[in-house]
Amino acid sequence: MGLELYLDLLSQPCRAVYIFAKKNGIPFELHTVELLKGQHLSDAFAQVNPLKKVPALKDGNFTLTESVAILLYLTRKYKVPDHWYPQDLQACARVDEYLAWQHTTLRRNCLRALWHKTMFPVFLGESVSPEMLAATLAELDVTLKILEDKFLQNKAYLSGSHISLADLVAITELMHPVGAGCQVFEGRPKLAAWRQRVEAAVGEDLFQEAHKVILKAKDFPPADPTIKQKLMPGVLAMIR
Amino acid sequence: MGLELFLDLISQPSRAVYIFAKKNGIPFELRTVELLKGQHLSKEFFPVNSLQRVPTLKDGDFVLSESVAILIYLSCKYQTADHWYPSDLQARMRIHEYLGWHADCIYGTFGVSLWAQVLAPLIGVQVPEEKVKCNRTNVDKALQYLEDKFLGHKAFLTSQQVTLADLMALEELMQLVAVGYHLFEERPRLAAWRERVEAFLGIDLCQEAHGPILNVVEQAANKTLPEPSPEIHLIMLNRLFRIP
Ligand SMILES: N[C@@H](CCC(=O)N[C@@H](CS)C(=O)NCC(=O)O)C(=O)O
Ligand SMILES: N[C@@H](CCC(=O)N[C@@H](CS)C(=O)NCC(=O)O)C(=O)O
């Protein structure tokens, strides 16, 4: 059995893995795990990832979870172009720095922005207090500023003059608040220009394909009550 | 200028870097940055244009933050023993898998008791009881998962030898030990793991690196912790506000 990827393109780390594999012509079998239908909570998927989260990878007998680990695995195993995760010590450290930083900062804030602004009211039919929403968006703002000032600076890409895993992980993250209707790139010309470069480097068609679902987040039909009840604990834990 | 490490041993990722450098005989200049005094916010103490967090590394002109990135950089640059960060692909990916989970479920969760018991009172704030309870539930869940799924019946978290994952985990657990949480009492496998890690690192090095955090409660009681500076006050409030 070859490479299998368990993904839902609604999830930002899944989009990064999907784009990376497609862009690099890595052959894989796609198993879609629909989060909004609670498919990740099935017993069958718990066999793959007991944590019940996507993305997950299977390569023969080897099972791997966590997007950063999966991206690094694919990078090494398929000998993709060096710029994704450079051999050069300092260049590589820049990518590692970003990948370590994003977990608890940009990732958390983008996830919360999507859920507080869109998924709670539209999908779950739960209102979010204006104070809570404002605090979430303010935190996102602070983090975006760090992304622009400390990571991007005046470079073409986050870790230098070529696209790397850092850019891919960052852009797929930012498309979460974009899907929720946040003006992420407005008033941030450097970040906006960077986005154009990343999209072009990835390829317009692939980028659009991977983001089709999230860009329709505002039109998701409301969840039925059984699904809502099933998903709620996971959602609350995820965005805490 | 050689290697400089900007650390505060109160901070768990700082200790991971400190112990790693010491254990591997990597020569460095220690730059202590006292967080409570807000020294990380001052140009005088800290490399400019960094993320202003500890740990931070400076190697000539090269400035790097994030403990995981620093540990990987040091292990490659100084070619430390393979077991820390194995060149075998699958073994290495087990470490990254752990570190991803660690960032989601341990980092930001295991430090909360210290905030509630020691740091918040320093600035006259009390963390609501429900939040402390909710944190305790999350800590226990994560410990269970750590023991059952990661450690399992192996000697160390991701393999039979010590890796970066064990170091990162141990230092987070120390934040709990420091506030008197008896987390090892009902978790014999985790307790045995801790002993193995500490024995490998060496008791002296562990005592040296853990001294400041293990004394923090006593220092707070004796009022010998530094008075938080006004700049750090706001940052602390912000951090407290984000406790779920
Ligand atoms: N740190 C993990 C996060 C994985 C994660 O939280 N995935 C979410 C989707 S973005 C998920 O599966 N959530 C389902 C749940 O938590 O119930 C990674 O980067 O892969
Ligand atoms: N993910 C980072 C965390 C770094 C971090 O948050 N450091 C804290 C101390 S544990 C800090 O410097 N805080 C100061 C501040 O945020 O103002 C790492 O592992 O290095």
Side-chain angles (χ1 to χ4, degrees), chain B residues 45-175:
Chain B
F45 288 95
F46 223 57
V48 269
N49 219 353
S50 66
L51 291 174
Q52 294 181 309
R53 300 202 296 183
V54 294
T56 289
L57 162 152
K58 192 163 184 289
D59 192 3
D61 292 334
F62 182 67
V63 176
L64 185 67
S65 41
E66 288 297 329
S67 54
V68 171
I70 294 172
L71 291 168
I72 294 175
Y73 177 85
L74 293 177
S75 69
C76 296
K77 171 148 183 180
Y78 295 93
Q79 302 190 348
T80 55
D82 191 69
H83 65 82
W84 286 111
Y85 188 58
S87 43
D88 175 75
L89 181 58
Q90 295 192 357
R92 180 173 289 192
M93 290 311 128
R94 286 280 165 255
I95 298 176
H96 282 287
E97 180 173 59
Y98 172 77
L99 292 172
W101 177 79
H102 177 102
D104 283 350
C105 298
I106 292 207
Y107 179 78
T109 299
F110 281 30
V112 167
S113 304
L114 183 75
W115 277 91
Q117 288 181 43
V118 177
L119 301 175
L122 279 184
I123 56 168
V125 173
Q126 197 177 354
V127 179
E129 193 53 39
E130 319 91 76
K131 288 194 173 195
V132 173
K133 274 219 194 94
C134 160
N135 173 257
R136 186 48 74 90
T137 311
N138 290 330
V139 165
D140 286 336
K141 254 209 278 196
L143 285 170
Q144 190 71 39
Y145 200 82
L146 186 69
E147 185 171 42
D148 292 347
K149 299 288 177 188
F150 283 101
L151 182 57
H153 292 278
K154 301 188 300 303
F156 297 98
L157 292 181
T158 67
S159 78
Q160 296 296 356
Q161 284 187 292
V162 177
T163 73
L164 299 182
D166 298 286
L167 199 50
M168 292 292 289
L170 177 68
E171 292 317 312
E172 285 287 343
L173 294 188
M174 291 315 290
Q175 300 303 93

Side-chain angles (χ1 to χ4, degrees), chain B residues 201-230:
Chain B
L201 296 173
I203 299 306
D204 291 348
L205 177 55
C206 288
Q207 273 178 0
E208 179 199 342
H210 296 155
I213 190 70
L214 292 178
N215 283 332
V216 82
V217 170
E218 197 184 317
Q219 273 189 293
N222 300 337
K223 306 212 178 306
T224 49
L225 282 177
E227 180 85 17
S229 69

Side-chain angles (χ1 to χ4, degrees), chain A residues 93-153:
Chain A
R94 281 277 160 265
V95 180
D96 286 331
E97 181 182 48
Y98 177 79
L99 293 177
W101 175 78
Q102 53 89 28
H103 272 293
T104 48
T105 49
L106 194 61
R107 180 177 163 72
R108 174 179 190 272
N109 294 329
C110 289
L111 200 57
R112 286 167 66 91
L114 174 72
W115 282 85
H116 286 163
K117 196 167 154 73
T118 301
M119 298 300 279
F120 268 99
V122 174
F123 178 69
L124 295 175
E126 295 273 338
S127 61
V128 173
S129 77
E131 297 79 30
M132 167 89 103
L133 181 59
T136 298
L137 297 178
E139 260 196 69
L140 175 61
D141 226 53
V142 172
T143 310
L144 288 171
K145 193 165 161 44
I146 299 178
L147 180 69
E148 191 167 33
D149 294 350
K150 301 279 183 173
F151 284 95
L152 184 56
Q153 300 170 340

Side-chain angles (χ1 to χ4, degrees), chain A residues 190-202:
Chain A
K190 275 200 263 176
L191 216 53
W194 163 81
R195 175 200 173 162
Q196 299 301 328
R197 282 191 291 273
V198 176
E199 278 199 42
V202 160

